[in-house]
Amino acid sequence: MFSNKSPKFTRGKSVGYSPEYVYTLDALTPSRVVSSLSDRSLRVFDTGSGANITEIAKLSNAHKSNITGVSVVDNNAAVTAGEDGVAKVWDFRQNKATRELRQSTNSPLLSIAYSKLTNTVASGTELVGQDAGVVLWDLRNPQKPVREYIDSHNDDVTCVTFHPTNAHSLLSGATDGLVTRYNTTISDEDDAVMQVVNHGASIHCTGFVGNDIYALSHMETFSIYRPTDKDDEAEEDKPENQATVFGDVREPWGCEYVVDIGKGYVAVGSNSDAKLSLIPMKGERVFLQHRIELPGAHGEEVVRCVLVDERNSRIFTGGEDGNVSVWQMEGHLGEAGSEWSEIDRQKRKKQKEKRFKPY
């Protein structure tokens, strides 16, 4: 979908929940999506194929206060974080919470992530008194946290992210402007901290690009940092370890705010001209000339979340207008008839012919 051309997308069906905000959108399966709303509910949608979406389950009062994050566990489960200080595991076959994950301080939780590699949940807390921390639970034994790192940040922890292939590498970002990389096999916090990056502004989101670390601030400043050894101060000064600093990306990326940094793309929005764009990104390269435009988007309201379904060439968006919308690539006929599936079939055909080529 993010190719060397800019495919056109048209809006399909929308589901409306105004005056509520749509906070998150995450895929359980290729045909089911879970969303969190400002009314403290979780909604599950059947998305089938094409530009359709239908609510199939509503879980009211999922938390006693705002839901601050959702992370998918498997095809039928997700974990959520709430400002009530509790993380919950939800089974959507039963449409109920099956486990509650609690912490010693009961601080409001502001972010959450799940690692399938270790079956571990991580959550970042709000600053309470002098403590703002990162809490980890093992879902095989969730009665109490396996780690509580409370000294690495001095303000709200807004983002936590596991490395997709390095099972014990975890990032946290906070409104103190710091991004911290941990080795979660180590219980002592001083030893567990592998790297600290000072981005210089409150962190909106952080994550991995390969083994590099990206950081996006609430001021829309963006940088990519190299992994370095915290005990080797000279290592950061080496030319190959210098950060790539994009600075304030609003003007160069043609937007008013960044919605999210996704896998292979950057989602950016502009309220003044009611526009949402997805810009292909590979490593440090941003391909502005191949941006995908979603005209009209969510009107003058902020887009809160974007979910890309490359398999079916669709994009799901949620915003402060209370709508969940589906966008379909023009000319797409469903997975079996898509351009990308045809390319895949041709590739498999050539591989088969090559493999069985007669002498």
Side-chain angles (χ1 to χ4, degrees):
M1 195 160 72
F2 300 106
S3 63
N4 59 358
K5 57 184 179 179
S6 300
K8 293 184 178 180
F9 282 75
T10 55
R11 190 197 305 268
K13 187 177 179 181
S14 294
V15 181
Y17 298 100
S18 182
E20 305 300 336
Y21 291 179
V22 179
Y23 285 155
T24 63
L25 287 165
D26 293 275
L28 294 167
T29 71
S31 60
R32 280 195 304 152
V33 170
V34 60
S35 178
S36 64
L37 274 65
S38 58
D39 63 358
R40 298 181 285 115
S41 71
L42 294 173
R43 313 286 177 131
V44 181
F45 301 100
D46 178 2
T47 59
S49 61
N52 296 308
I53 185 168
T54 304
E55 182 185 303
I56 57 174
K58 175 184 177 182
L59 288 70
S60 300
N61 300 314
H63 283 266
K64 294 179 180 178
S65 53
N66 280 337
I67 300 171
T68 54
V70 178
S71 186
V72 170
V73 174
D74 59 34
N75 290 350
N76 296 298
V79 61
T80 59
E83 290 182 353
D84 54 6
V86 179
K88 295 184 179 183
V89 181
W90 298 86
D91 185 338
F92 296 114
R93 291 167 298 189
Q94 306 176 59
N95 286 329
K96 68 177 185 179
T98 56
R99 277 172 280 187
E100 292 191 355
L101 313 178
R102 297 186 176 272
Q103 24 139 1
S104 58
T105 62
N106 202 36
S107 301
L109 300 178
L110 302 181
S111 50
I112 199 157
Y114 171 76
S115 171
K116 66 173 70 175
L117 299 177
T118 58
N119 206 20
T120 302
V121 173
S123 189
T125 76
E126 184 179 292
L127 178 68
V128 176
Q130 295 182 331
D131 293 332
V134 176
V135 187
L136 291 94
W137 296 269
D138 185 335
L139 288 187
R140 293 162 294 192
N141 186 24
Q143 286 75 22
K144 61 180 182 178
V146 293
R147 299 280 185 270
E148 289 187 273
Y149 300 135
I150 61 171
D151 295 323
S152 298
H153 293 285
N154 54 34
D155 214 334
D156 299 346
V157 180
T158 53
C159 182
V160 287
T161 309
F162 285 102
H163 193 284
T165 58
N166 185 340
H168 303 290
S169 186
L170 172 71
L171 294 177
S172 62
T175 54
D176 58 9
L178 302 181
V179 174
T180 304
R181 178 169 60 90
Y182 307 87
N183 179 343
T184 61
T185 64
I186 302 172
S187 58
D188 181 84
E189 186 167 353
D190 288 339
D191 294 333
V193 173
M194 297 290 104
Q195 181 178 3
V196 178
V197 170
N198 187 349
H199 188 60
S202 172
I203 301 298
H204 173 192
C205 62
T206 185
F208 292 98
V209 180
N211 287 320
D212 292 341
I213 299 165
Y214 71 77
L216 173 71
S217 78
H218 291 107
M219 301 296 291
E220 317 303 345
T221 55
F222 181 68
S223 294
I224 297 177
Y225 301 91
R226 316 292 171 235
T228 58
D229 184 348
K230 67 173 181 178
D231 295 323
D232 186 353
E233 294 182 2
E235 189 174 357
E236 292 187 7
D237 297 328
K238 295 177 182 178
E240 63 270 25
N241 290 332
Q242 293 297 299
T244 302
V245 179
F246 290 76
D248 187 334
V249 298
R250 284 173 287 191
E251 184 175 345
W253 289 2
C255 66
E256 294 172 7
Y257 63 95
V258 180
V259 182
D260 197 12
I261 310 292
K263 185 178 180 181
Y265 69 91
V266 179
V268 300
S270 297
N271 292 349
S272 60
D273 51 6
K275 186 170 65 176
L276 175 68
S277 304
L278 275 67
I279 306 171
M281 183 177 183
K282 185 175 182 180
E284 298 179 2
R285 299 181 64 191
V286 179
F287 300 91
L288 295 170
Q289 70 274 28
H290 300 311
R291 66 196 297 142
I292 295 171
E293 302 283 4
L294 304 182
H298 290 258
E300 296 180 355
E301 300 295 336
V302 171
V303 179
R304 284 292 194 113
C305 49
V306 174
L307 172 63
V308 174
D309 175 13
E310 289 200 64
R311 179 176 181 177
N312 292 298
S313 298
R314 298 182 296 184
I315 300 169
F316 299 90
T317 61
E320 293 187 0
D321 60 352
N323 289 329
V324 178
S325 297
V326 188
W327 305 79
Q328 181 73 61
M329 188 166 73
E330 289 184 4
H332 182 76
L333 301 176
E335 185 182 358
S338 73
E339 172 189 358
W340 310 112
S341 292
E342 180 59 30
I343 291 172
D344 290 340
R345 281 195 292 271
Q346 293 299 325
K347 284 182 179 179
R348 289 195 297 269
K349 182 179 179 181
K350 288 180 180 179
Q351 289 171 352
K352 185 176 180 180
E353 288 173 349
K354 184 177 180 180
R355 181 179 178 186
F356 295 105
K357 185 176 181 180
Y359 294 103

